[in-house]
Amino acid sequence: MKRPLRLLSALLLALLLNPLAAEEESLLMMRSSQSFPEAMLAVQKTLGEYGYTVSRVQRVDIGLTASGFETDRYRIVFFGKPEEIRHLSGEHPELIPYLPLKMTIFAEQDETLLVALDPTALDDIVDDEAFAQLTMRWKNDIIAIMDELREY
Amino acid sequence: MFRSTLFLISGLLLSTTLLAAPDGARLYERHCSACHGLEGEGGVGVPLVLPSFQRAVEDDFLFTTIRHGRPGRVMPAFTSLSDAQVRAIVDHLRSWAPERPQQAARPVRKPAHGKPGRGKALFAQHCAQCHGANGEGGHGTGVTFSRPRDLPVMAPALNNPGFLAAADDHMIKRTLMEGREGTPMVSFLDAGLNEQQIDDIVSYVRSFEEEPLHWQYDRDEAPAITMESSYDLQTTVENIKRAAVGKNFRIIRIQRLEDGLFEEGEQNEKQVIVYFCNFNFINEALSLDPRVGLFMPCRITAVEKADGTVELMAINPRYMSRLFNNAELDEACTRMHNLYESIIEEATL
């Protein structure tokens, strides 16, 4: 009696504590009601608070307005934890094209959209339990960061 | 024993309270608002707030649309939300249209007695210019905000397993009779078709079910394109630059992978990234899907390994493409894949 009960409760608990377990969307997205410059600052600040270094903010909009695109507010934010990136690029060079992580941020009228790759998609590349845990942590961090940005 | 029972009971209690009242507004905000707008006004997705839309569809249509998504048409399938959560989202969508006339819970699925053959000709004449010759849907995504285009709201795919599963004949007919005020979709009664012709079109749209367009991607696609170079690191980087310029790209930056992550002088010098871009290509890709920034800028990385050999690597756009659930990106991704491959080949030979 004791055993199955404990097993059951463990199972229940696992179910309860794992609300993010099976998200089928493979891009992580959020809409912020903040304007682009505000959202841009908030993203960088919040990434920092979660221990990530923003290695570069890349504009892709120079020349876009010239070719008819109506927003010049489109950036790519590259980020990562330095030691993690170094370790992974040494241990699993096949990951290098996907490092560091990145997020796209762009304006839609007076709101701002954020889009990131779901890092667990990288589990296809490296078949390794420790790596799967790492990408799950990245994913949860990105979701938490997006949740926080929503509250701004 | 006692403790684990307590544990179990509190777990059960917690789970029932959690499941009892899923917060539709919050769920919508988290799962839908990025595309459909905070108030359903549309964005990457089509608008959901318009009274003409709310009137035309039953709760079942909304429920099934959320569950199945629209394969290959950006809208994801939400398979892991609970039924209660999906219903809470539906209720939230409905909160935007409190005046919606109360209809029977679900109209009988009465097949329209139309002639699909005649409907086909009418479709080509009246629908194809927006919904595509085979009902594959309009180009681009949702609502125009940042890009100039021909239609302010994209025409959804009709030849789509997700749409066909969600929409019954009644809904399609109603949409054709009434149109969707506030969007380019007009009432075809007003536009001069009679009800028989509309039934013919409904039957034709229904006949897509016999052979729906299935979006397919190759699950075996490798995540990265890699190739070994026969030159040293420095020469290889120069070769990449030359090959990219030869393919009409502009070099925007050469940097180390670790730039910006480590202090100056501490970066690994053996991992060099060449970033390049082509504005026409970027512009074209953005008009297909504003999220494609995740592919940008174009990048090839040259890595010198411990044994001195140099390897070139790039993401495989055809692998990335599936994550967007956007069939329209496939062609651009294949082209990009081929460009990467030829630049890498040229740089290594």
Side-chain angles (χ1 to χ4, degrees), chain B residues 24-98:
Chain B
R26 251 198 104 71
L27 288 165
Y28 176 85
E29 198 184 10
R30 183 173 225 180
H31 295 289
C32 324
S33 72
C35 288
H36 289 287
L38 295 166
E39 310 288 338
E41 67 276 27
V44 176
V46 290
L48 301 176
V49 72
L50 297 174
S52 59
F53 166 70
Q54 293 268 348
R55 259 201 320 275
V57 300
E58 300 293 324
D59 288 0
D60 248 17
F61 171 85
L62 298 172
F63 189 98
T64 312
T65 298
I66 296 169
R67 273 279 185 254
H68 289 250
R70 301 275 167 96
R73 293 288 298 177
V74 179
M75 164 85 193
F78 293 87
T79 48
S80 62
L81 294 175
S82 71
D83 281 0
Q85 286 175 314
V86 176
R87 272 197 296 273
I89 295 175
V90 170
D91 288 345
H92 180 67
L93 302 183
R94 290 310 199 187
S95 73
W96 295 326

